[in-house]
Amino acid sequence: MSREPADARLGRLLAIVPWIAARDGPTVEEVSRRFGVGEKDLLADLNLLFMCGVYPFTPDVLIDVDIADGRVWIRMADYFRRPLRLSPQ
């Protein structure tokens, strides 16, 4: 995996996650080509998502990533399915 700035990696993940989540299991090769990233780097990025969610970091509030047979699926945690309610604070 190449050493790149965290902001570049984060920006890529923010684009990749909704793109994969909106599709039914695109291939790792397809995602790599679409976002111009090597497959090894893509898999390393996707492995970070297993730890992403909100407090208390239980399975129902973590992002679920499945990688099998060269395809990838992302399911958002139940928390992300609810509309965000903003307050003045």
Side-chain angles (χ1 to χ4, degrees):
M1 187 168 98
S2 63
R3 271 314 243 171
E4 66 180 309
D7 60 338
R9 195 170 182 194
L10 176 62
R12 182 173 62 240
L13 271 172
L14 289 173
I16 288 173
V17 169
W19 191 86
I20 293 174
R23 285 155 180 75
D24 186 27
T27 64
V28 172
E29 179 185 357
E30 179 183 1
V31 179
S32 294
R33 195 174 347 106
R34 169 73 169 82
F35 292 95
V37 62
E39 289 185 23
K40 186 176 179 181
D41 289 338
L42 174 64
L43 293 174
D45 287 348
L46 293 174
N47 279 326
L48 286 175
L49 292 177
F50 290 107
M51 299 177 276
C52 295
V54 294
Y55 181 83
F57 306 106
T58 54
D60 62 320
V61 293
L62 295 174
I63 295 174
D64 184 34
V65 179
D66 290 319
I67 303 169
D69 299 324
R71 297 180 66 185
V72 60
W73 293 266
I74 293 178
R75 289 170 200 82
M76 303 306 278
D78 293 339
Y79 173 85
F80 296 108
R81 296 190 194 289
R82 294 187 307 259
L84 183 62
R85 296 185 188 252
L86 300 174
S87 67
Q89 286 109 353

